Amino acid sequence: MPGWIAAISDYCSQVPPFPSHSRPPAGFWTEAAIPGASRPDSPAVIGGYLQRLPLAAVASGLVDHAEVWSFAGRDGESDRDRGLRDGTPDPDSPALIRRVFRADGPAPYSSAEAVEFVRTVGAPDILCVWGIGVDAALLEACAGSLKIYNSIDAPALRIPDDLAMRFDLFLTGADWQSREIESRVPGARTLVLPIGPAFASGETFFPTGADKDRDVVYVACAQPYKRHDILFDAMARRPGTRGLLVVGYGHQADEFRDRSAREGLDLEIVGPPGVPHDEVNRQINRARVGVVCGVDDGAPAILTEYQLAGLPVLANARLTCGLQFVTPETGAIAHEGADFAQTLDMLLRDYGRYDPRPVALSRWGWQPSMAVLTDVLTEIRHARTMR
């Protein structure tokens, strides 16, 4: 019988968390929205990497209720992600419940509130933990849950090995990550199925038919590991290239503007601050080719988001996670320097022959990925009952 799923983000509003001096009043969690409340039968799987897997679990029938949890680093409603700690539907996805729990210490996050909530309303049937993780007390409170971990980053594990041993399944971004986890965690079960690109949402990213007034787009935070310098170099090697950066956050945006002006590059920068998903899709559709320039990155979701919008993707050949999403039908890979600029030139010349959206939907959309995940979880659940 379908149950419910909770995905724990590693976002905390204040890092490190401040000491807490308050607790919810007695009975608070019994008045919270209880899992199993009425939700749309077939919710649209819309949003970023954090929302898509839990929504896909509902849409596929694996569960009938989905939540995303995050943490507050200090007391006070203003610090509680719009005050949603009581279980308010996500304004963009009513089928998804948001909760914000008070963190009691640095990552892996401990949270007496989260443990109290689980003890009051029960543990989710499936618990997903992303990134830098949660402490043993919360994992123990969810002992009966099927527990899934994904680092969302280039390091295969961002939690201590003793915590990792409590998980039933590790989603990874590359075979090498799987091998590393299996060597560190005896008996670990891994699956190369990164939650960003492997749960692509055709409802969020799609062709709009907009005029292509930009040659190349890069959607990435303005931080050094995204290696924007590779795009700058390619544009300099290919005079007249019209570039577009879409930047949700990061400290280098002004540096990029200064460099493009200094080098006379035709580069438009959108953001920061954050850019909503519908605006990201609109901006992507202005370009002919999407690029991923980073090396130490954890299978960026934008790899398949470009493809869903109809753009072939050019990725750095040294990208540590996610190159399996770049095929002859969906784009190309190249080494930085002259090779990157020449491959960009080839993709722009041959842009019209690419139709990556059907490939992305059939191979890496949320439907085929959720089918694979469901089969594996069924096997794990069956193995548990046989013990």
Side-chain angles (χ1 to χ4, degrees):
M1 184 174 180
W4 64 292
I5 186 171
I8 305 182
S9 163
D10 62 1
Y11 173 78
C12 185
S13 60
Q14 178 70 41
V15 180
F18 289 3
S20 179
H21 301 291
S22 68
R23 283 287 181 265
F28 180 87
W29 296 120
T30 60
E31 300 172 3
I34 302 299
S38 177
R39 301 284 173 244
D41 291 333
S42 298
V45 181
I46 293 176
Y49 73 91
L50 188 61
Q51 296 90 4
R52 292 198 295 247
L53 189 152
L55 284 172
V58 176
S60 68
L62 178 63
V63 297
D64 56 20
H65 176 86
E67 303 197 355
V68 170
W69 300 351
S70 58
F71 297 99
R74 53 187 162 192
D75 298 327
E77 286 298 314
S78 63
D79 197 45
R80 295 261 184 169
D81 191 16
R82 304 180 308 278
L84 302 187
R85 68 177 182 179
D86 57 342
T88 304
D90 188 306
D92 298 321
S93 301
L96 189 67
I97 291 294
R98 292 276 193 164
R99 297 188 195 277
V100 180
F101 296 106
R102 185 62 161 87
D104 299 322
Y109 293 119
S110 60
S111 174
E113 285 189 4
V115 171
E116 181 182 355
F117 170 79
V118 169
R119 289 174 176 167
T120 302
V121 307
D125 297 88
I126 302 171
L127 179 72
C128 304
V129 178
W130 310 144
I132 51 183
V134 296
D135 74 340
L138 182 51
L139 295 177
E140 184 61 33
C142 299
S145 307
L146 291 179
K147 290 181 280 296
I148 304 172
Y149 175 82
N150 181 222
S151 81
I152 327 176
D153 205 343
L157 279 177
R158 297 166 66 200
I159 55 175
D161 290 1
D162 61 329
L163 292 180
M165 293 177 65
R166 297 172 180 264
F167 286 88
D168 300 284
L169 178 65
F170 298 85
L171 302 183
T172 67
D175 287 333
W176 72 265
Q177 283 193 327
S178 293
R179 292 192 298 270
E180 179 176 325
I181 291 172
E182 290 161 4
S183 70
R184 289 173 55 179
V185 183
R189 181 157 188 169
T190 63
L191 178 63
V192 180
L193 199 71
I195 64 170
F199 288 86
S201 169
E203 298 98 324
T204 307
F205 296 94
F206 50 86
T208 63
D211 291 337
K212 301 292 185 180
D213 65 332
R214 298 278 103 182
D215 295 312
V216 58
V217 59
Y218 190 17
V219 180
C221 64
Q223 294 185 335
Y225 79 100
K226 290 294 186 178
R227 293 298 307 274
H228 292 77
D229 60 290
I230 294 175
L231 176 59
F232 279 98
D233 177 75
M235 291 180 65
R237 290 173 182 268
R238 189 179 184 277
T241 302
R242 297 165 300 169
L244 173 64
L245 299 184
V246 181
V247 179
Y249 63 94
H251 64 279
Q252 289 189 298
D254 288 340
E255 174 186 327
F256 296 158
R257 290 185 172 93
D258 291 343
R259 178 172 176 178
S260 64
R262 186 171 62 251
E263 298 183 7
L265 302 178
D266 184 356
L267 181 67
E268 180 180 342
I269 301 178
V270 176
V275 184
H277 291 114
D278 57 350
E279 180 63 13
V280 173
N281 186 61
R282 190 182 76 82
Q283 294 293 341
I284 289 175
N285 271 272
R286 296 174 56 197
R288 291 182 171 84
V289 174
V291 296
V292 172
C293 300
V295 175
D296 297 318
D297 208 346
I302 197 64
L303 282 166
T304 53
E305 291 168 354
Y306 289 141
Q307 297 169 23
L308 292 174
L311 279 66
V313 59
L314 170 58
N316 190 332
R318 296 197 300 125
L319 178 67
T320 57
C321 295
L323 287 182
Q324 67 268 30
F325 299 100
V326 186
T327 70
E329 301 102 318
T330 63
I333 64 173
H335 290 279
E336 57 192 84
D339 186 33
F340 203 88
Q342 291 166 5
T343 306
L344 174 60
D345 190 67
M346 178 273 292
L347 288 173
L348 289 170
R349 287 198 316 267
D350 297 344
Y351 166 78
R353 76 174 181 84
Y354 286 94
D355 186 19
R357 179 177 170 86
V359 178
L361 287 174
S362 64
R363 298 183 189 175
W364 308 304
W366 67 262
Q367 293 96 333
S369 293
M370 184 52 65
V372 171
L373 180 60
T374 298
D375 287 346
V376 173
L377 291 178
T378 299
E379 292 174 7
I380 294 172
R381 189 177 284 115
H382 178 71
R384 274 190 172 191
T385 62
M386 299 299 289
R387 291 175 185 168

